Amino acid sequence: MTRQTGFLRRHGRSFLLGSASLLMASASLPALAASGENGKAHARHRAAKAAHHASAAAAAQPAAAARPAARAATRAVRPAARVRAEAETVEVSGARFHSRGAETAVTRATMDQFVAGTSPLQVLALTTPGVSFGSDDALGLDTVASTLYIRGFNQTQIGATLDGIPMGGQGFHNWNGLGVDQMEIQENLAGMTVSQGAGALDTPSAQTLGGAITYTSADPLDKTGGRVSQSFGSYDAFRTFARVDSGVLNATGTKFYASYARTAQDLWKGFGDQQEHQANFKLVQPLGDKGKITAIFDYSNFIQYNYLGLTKNMWEKMGRDTTYLKPNYALSKEWAANAQAGTVPTNLQGVLTPDEIGDYAYDGTQTQRNYLSAIKADYQFFPNVLSKTAAYAHVSSGDYSGTNPFLISPTSQVPMALETGHVDVRRIGFTQSFDITVNKNDIKTGIWYENDTFNYAMRMYEDGVDAAHNSKSDFKASQATTWWADSFNTNTFQYYLQDTYHIIPGMTVTAGFRSLLQTTHGGTSVDNTSSLSDWGVYYSHPASGSMTAANAFLPHFNFDYHFLDHHEVYFDIAENMRAYDYGTQSGSGNPWGGLGNSGNPAQTVFNANKNSLKPERTWNYVVGYRYDSRMFSASVDYYHTDYYNRLAAITAGSTSNMYSSIENVGRESMNGADVMGAIRPVRGLEISNSFSWNDAVYQDAHVPYNGSTISIKGKHQVFYPKFMYKANLSYTWRQATFNFNATYSSARPMTYMNDVKIPAYWTSNLSAAYNFGRIGFANNLKTTFGITNLFNKNYIGGVYGAASMSGDDNPVLYVAAPREFFGTVSAEF
């Protein structure tokens, strides 16, 4: 593959443009990037060495000549340029999870058992069967490496809402939403509920294939007060949280809170730091005894240097501390020259491949800014009719930067340049629902509409002879050269209707359906590739047009029976559809991204795909049993999923004219089971254990690949473990609390052929806290001490990027943070 784009495909730092080589998948590095397989918006850096040194015409020569470049084509890179409520004490009780049916709830008390500021997704994974989460930082806040799976579905395939507000897809560089870490300060969450079945019908989401997460923020307190906390930790970690509650201000009950959090920590390897700024404001205005109006404003600004994505060989041979080359600028230029020449430095011959030399770069950074405003109204029109209305607006912007060692800075002639993707997202929408009670029937119905505008401009900034361009600021238009730009506009409409019938006390049956329609218009609006040869650019993939995903009837059935006080049985059946992804022309796994080659234009491939593609669809089945009493809780459930119309980026065409396309690569079937048990032998002590099994296998024996077909039938789904085991011990004694958890994840396939795997691992965390009560003017003065990765295990946490068909070729692995220590002091006033 060409080293030029290999870089990107690997760092994920900068949005790499699909390269000419994307067209041809090399046998050693096939590119089957399933949309939804990685949980990140992927970008493909696929330029080939040939594309770097030769013309577009040369790139279109017969397969024999193009084959060396083909390897690059299949590489995936990331879009590099890519509550506080009342004072709570930790309670250990049988109701800690408040589960019902195929849902599990994680309470505020549970979240308080972890280091302050820990991502809710990380808490979810450490406490809930069937959930897997990995990252490269201790708190799980690095948006690039964060990887969430729930029973085989990643965060781009799971519905998510906060207080009923749609959050869109949850992947990195989100073009149609934002993640919970950028939406709500962790201390302001009252709890979260996970539907591990098919997701509720009333979840406003066009991404849901299986499951949904519902986050609930705490309301302002009735009493005037505040809360502050200060944390310190390893690698100069520093976190400040402050919140002020107004209390009830007048006779109508008006109240609000305002809060701010700042988290900062040096990278545990390499140069740089990561900083997150967040602010939340929430106002509640009661409407007598009829309802309330809620106003919400959330802000976040994440400024992060990134960790380098690695191949398995890079991790094993170069060690867990290997990362970007900054601040060694001279070495970066030297390795960039090697990458473009396809050679390996003498001291690394036999250790790294030429492609892996191209995986290294000077640095990679990102800045993400989000502003979310919403007005909600809950009103009881009649004793049996409740109306819920929400209107929201979300603005997001960002700079996704990465040094590209396959470009050339024209003035300095340095064999690399800074690539920065400048993103602008604007979402506006509303939801309207009615809850109606008629005799034994609870009827719910509602609509959701959203308009989303996504603009992305890829620009290049020259690196100097002695210093690189600043990768976190100074992005002046006068200094930039636009490579290409994309623009999309999406309209989404959803309607749902369901009826829950109470057969006898404790027994309900629910039936309903939802209708979903989403149309996206757009694609490449600017492409200057042909006039930028002095930058060493390579073939890009401009394509434009519209795609529509529609289904008028997506049914959902549920049965739930609570009997004999402590027992519950349930089943859940639903059909879901996922609308088409859309992203930049350098992406993969979506109808607009990384298509064609220099001889078979992307637009031609898009037009052909438009007439043949169908949206991804699933049927989900869950059946389970739960027992819950004061001293013992247990649950077991079995689930099955049939996955249809799986879309993937592949190399299609004959051996003499291979090109990149996105096609239906068949079905996937998934069977799994979760078992959990918790005992509470004495007051304050809970010991829980859970085991998860998931057998998600592909069913297609004729996947188009490398000018022919290949069978992946029976191969396990990439990036998700087949087995997981979790143990948790919590103990509360008077004002002291203690928590220990341990998690085992089995090996995860890295490739569709399952010939390379991410090793299994154990990881553990420990925390302890003591509440001193009232001291002076401070209430609930509390100290907390926590240790993450207690035994300092060297393992792979997050995974970002597309999987190869076979071989250890894609740098998609992110090493988990080593053992770190944290201490927090908090108080209420």
Side-chain angles (χ1 to χ4, degrees):
M1 94 170 271
T2 329
R3 313 312 187 262
Q4 42 185 100
T5 43
F7 130 80
L8 218 31
R9 39 154 210 120
R10 334 177 176 200
H11 307 324
R13 252 35 297 45
S14 250
F15 254 12
L16 309 150
L17 321 188
S19 68
S21 71
L22 172 84
L23 340 167
M24 335 172 177
S26 92
S28 62
L29 169 61
L32 183 67
S35 81
E37 208 57 79
N38 8 30
K40 301 288 181 195
H42 5 301
R44 253 180 210 269
H45 202 89
R46 17 210 160 203
K49 181 177 181 181
H52 178 67
H53 295 295
S55 66
Q61 290 176 359
R67 199 161 289 155
R71 287 196 73 218
T74 52
R75 312 267 192 156
V77 285
R78 76 200 67 280
R82 267 201 282 263
V83 181
R84 168 193 161 197
E86 305 290 346
E88 293 190 74
T89 55
V90 177
E91 295 180 348
V92 181
S93 68
R96 184 164 69 96
F97 290 102
H98 300 291
S99 300
R100 182 185 183 281
E103 294 184 347
T104 298
V106 179
T107 66
R108 179 70 251 169
T110 300
M111 288 187 276
D112 284 340
Q113 295 177 359
F114 295 85
V115 172
T118 298
S119 170
L121 300 180
Q122 188 153 292
V123 174
L124 186 66
L126 293 173
T127 58
T128 309
V131 180
S132 170
F133 178 82
S135 187
D136 54 13
D137 71 300
L139 302 182
L141 299 177
D142 187 336
T143 56
V144 174
S146 296
T147 309
L148 175 74
Y149 280 88
I150 298 179
R151 291 183 174 177
F153 294 103
N154 65 53
Q155 64 258 56
T156 69
Q157 301 169 314
I158 298 167
T161 62
L162 174 65
D163 296 335
I165 302 168
M167 298 173 68
Q170 298 297 287
F172 168 69
H173 183 249
N174 209 331
W175 56 88
N176 65 350
L178 73 169
V180 63
D181 295 312
Q182 297 172 304
M183 194 169 183
E184 195 73 16
I185 298 172
Q186 202 256 38
E187 285 89 340
N188 289 333
L189 286 174
M192 50 186 169
T193 300
V194 184
S195 170
Q196 294 181 293
L201 284 176
D202 59 353
T203 299
S205 171
Q207 285 76 45
T208 306
L209 281 177
I213 305 177
T214 300
Y215 302 97
T216 303
S217 66
D219 277 347
L221 300 181
D222 290 338
K223 184 179 179 180
T224 302
R227 179 181 175 185
V228 295
S229 72
Q230 182 62 61
S231 301
F232 302 91
S234 303
Y235 303 98
D236 292 328
F238 184 92
R239 184 177 189 273
T240 302
F241 168 74
R243 170 171 155 167
V244 176
D245 282 84
S246 69
V248 175
L249 296 174
N250 51 42
T252 65
T254 307
K255 56 183 178 179
F256 70 85
Y257 70 72
S259 61
Y260 169 78
R262 174 181 179 262
T263 305
Q265 185 177 26
D266 289 344
L267 298 187
W268 60 266
K269 62 177 179 179
F271 176 92
D273 62 1
Q274 295 189 332
Q275 297 192 38
E276 293 89 32
H277 299 266
Q278 298 167 277
N280 294 157
F281 174 84
K282 186 174 186 179
L283 181 146
V284 174
Q285 175 60 63
L287 301 174
D289 59 356
K290 295 292 187 178
K292 64 180 180 179
I293 294 177
T294 303
I296 295 171
F297 175 76
D298 295 328
Y299 162 80
S300 66
N301 188 6
F302 279 32
I303 308 166
Q304 299 175 329
Y305 279 92
N306 298 124
Y307 296 95
L308 180 67
L310 309 175
T311 64
K312 187 178 180 182
N313 181 65
M314 291 165 66
W315 172 48
E316 294 175 337
K317 298 291 181 60
M318 303 297 284
R320 75 194 293 184
D321 289 340
T322 191
T323 188
Y324 285 102
L325 302 177
K326 191 172 184 175
N328 195 333
Y329 192 59
L331 184 63
S332 298
K333 293 191 294 182
E334 178 185 332
W335 282 31
N338 282 118
Q340 294 191 21
T343 59
V344 177
T346 303
N347 64 322
L348 292 174
Q349 290 182 3
V351 178
L352 297 178
T353 67
D355 286 337
E356 288 171 330
I357 293 297
D359 288 335
Y360 283 89
Y362 184 60
D363 76 347
T365 65
Q366 70 203 37
T367 299
Q368 297 170 295
R369 297 169 289 269
N370 288 281
Y371 305 84
L372 175 73
S373 299
I375 296 289
K376 298 180 57 190
D378 298 343
Y379 194 75
Q380 196 85 39
F381 280 111
F382 304 102
N384 65 330
V385 178
L386 174 64
S387 169
K388 298 179 181 179
T389 307
Y392 62 93
H394 168 218
V395 175
S396 178
S397 62
D399 305 305
Y400 302 85
S401 298
T403 305
N404 187 338
F406 295 102
L407 294 178
I408 299 171
S409 293
T411 302
S412 65
Q413 288 298 296
V414 169
M416 58 189 191
L418 181 69
E419 243 182 25
T420 301
H422 300 283
V423 66
D424 175 71
V425 177
R426 297 173 185 272
R427 291 192 303 149
I428 186 169
F430 72 90
T431 63
Q432 173 63 61
S433 66
F434 294 96
D435 295 354
I436 306 169
T437 301
V438 180
N439 297 323
K440 291 185 177 182
N441 299 79
D442 294 332
I443 301 170
K444 293 186 176 183
T445 186
I447 60 173
W448 166 49
Y449 171 76
E450 178 178 285
N451 176 264
D452 176 40
T453 299
F454 171 76
N455 296 301
Y456 191 96
M458 172 59 70
R459 295 175 184 147
M460 299 177 291
Y461 301 82
E462 288 203 57
D463 284 335
V465 175
D466 300 316
H469 189 281
N470 191 323
S471 62
K472 291 175 68 176
S473 62
D474 200 24
F475 299 122
K476 298 178 181 177
S478 59
Q479 297 177 336
T481 297
T482 298
W483 191 345
W484 45 262
D486 291 326
S487 296
F488 292 90
N489 187 269
T490 300
N491 288 287
T492 305
F493 177 82
Q494 177 180 289
Y495 169 76
Y496 75 92
L497 173 66
Q498 72 174 38
D499 179 17
T500 299
Y501 181 71
H502 298 266
I503 303 173
I504 59 175
M507 181 185 292
T508 62
V509 60
T510 300
F513 73 96
R514 71 184 179 115
S515 302
L516 178 63
L517 171 66
Q518 183 178 96
T519 298
T520 298
H521 304 270
T524 303
S525 56
V526 174
D527 191 290
N528 296 320
T529 303
S530 61
S531 62
L532 299 174
S533 59
D534 55 336
W535 285 85
V537 297
Y538 30 87
Y539 175 74
S540 55
H541 303 266
S544 297
S546 64
M547 295 288 292
T548 296
N551 196 314
F553 187 74
L554 296 167
H556 191 161
F557 304 94
N558 177 271
F559 173 83
D560 190 270
Y561 182 33
H562 290 260
F563 60 99
L564 299 178
D565 294 334
H566 304 295
H567 302 267
E568 179 188 8
V569 293
Y570 55 88
F571 69 79
D572 199 73
I573 303 173
E575 181 184 16
N576 279 324
M577 180 191 75
R578 185 172 187 268
Y580 296 111
D581 278 339
Y582 51 95
T584 68
Q585 62 157 278
S586 65
S588 63
N590 74 79
W592 290 266
L595 304 177
N597 62 18
S598 55
N600 192 11
Q603 189 65 53
T604 300
V605 179
F606 174 87
N607 294 341
N609 287 344
K610 181 176 180 178
N611 296 324
S612 61
L613 294 182
K614 295 180 180 180
E616 296 177 315
R617 190 168 54 86
T618 58
W619 272 98
N620 298 281
Y621 309 85
V622 180
V623 59
Y625 165 79
R626 183 178 292 113
Y627 175 86
D628 195 8
S629 68
R630 186 180 66 83
M631 294 188 63
F632 177 68
S633 298
S635 66
V636 57
D637 59 9
Y638 167 80
Y639 57 93
H640 173 80
T641 296
D642 289 317
Y643 194 149
Y644 301 91
N645 303 327
R646 175 174 281 280
L647 301 182
I650 64 167
T651 49
S654 64
T655 55
S656 61
N657 183 31
M658 290 183 293
Y659 59 90
S660 177
S661 181
I662 179 169
E663 295 190 17
N664 183 338
V665 296
R667 293 181 51 211
E668 178 183 343
S669 65
M670 179 164 55
N671 293 285
D674 291 330
V675 180
M676 183 174 184
I679 59 172
R680 293 168 284 277
V682 297
R683 179 170 180 158
L685 174 65
E686 179 179 86
I687 303 171
S688 65
N689 291 268
S690 69
F691 176 79
S692 300
W693 164 73
N694 178 283
D695 187 34
V697 295
Y698 303 111
Q699 298 297 319
D700 201 282
H702 303 285
V703 177
Y705 166 69
N706 205 25
S708 182
T709 61
I710 192 169
S711 174
I712 58 174
K713 185 178 178 63
K715 302 300 182 182
H716 193 266
Q717 176 178 307
V718 297
F719 301 152
Y720 188 69
K722 192 170 185 178
F723 302 105
M724 287 188 288
Y725 169 76
K726 300 173 185 180
N728 192 86
L729 185 154
S730 299
Y731 183 60
T732 300
W733 184 74
R734 295 183 179 177
Q735 282 73 47
T737 61
F738 171 86
N739 180 264
F740 170 80
N741 63 75
T743 299
Y744 169 78
S745 291
S746 66
R748 292 167 283 175
M750 282 180 60
T751 67
Y752 288 92
M753 295 303 295
N754 292 181
D755 58 327
V756 182
K757 294 186 177 182
I758 304 168
Y761 68 88
W762 280 92
T763 187
S764 303
N765 302 283
L766 177 71
S767 66
Y770 189 84
N771 190 329
F772 292 93
R774 184 178 181 86
I775 297 181
F777 59 86
N779 294 319
N780 293 314
L781 181 62
K782 184 178 179 181
T783 60
T784 305
F785 177 72
I787 307 174
T788 58
N789 194 359
L790 180 62
F791 300 106
N792 199 28
K793 296 294 185 179
N794 178 10
Y795 67 95
I796 297 300
V799 181
Y800 173 85
S804 297
M805 181 68 77
S806 64
D808 177 28
D809 194 69
N810 285 0
V812 297
L813 308 181
Y814 288 83
V815 184
R819 177 169 51 225
E820 295 188 27
F821 301 87
F822 296 89
T824 301
V825 178
S826 62
E828 300 173 1
F829 305 96

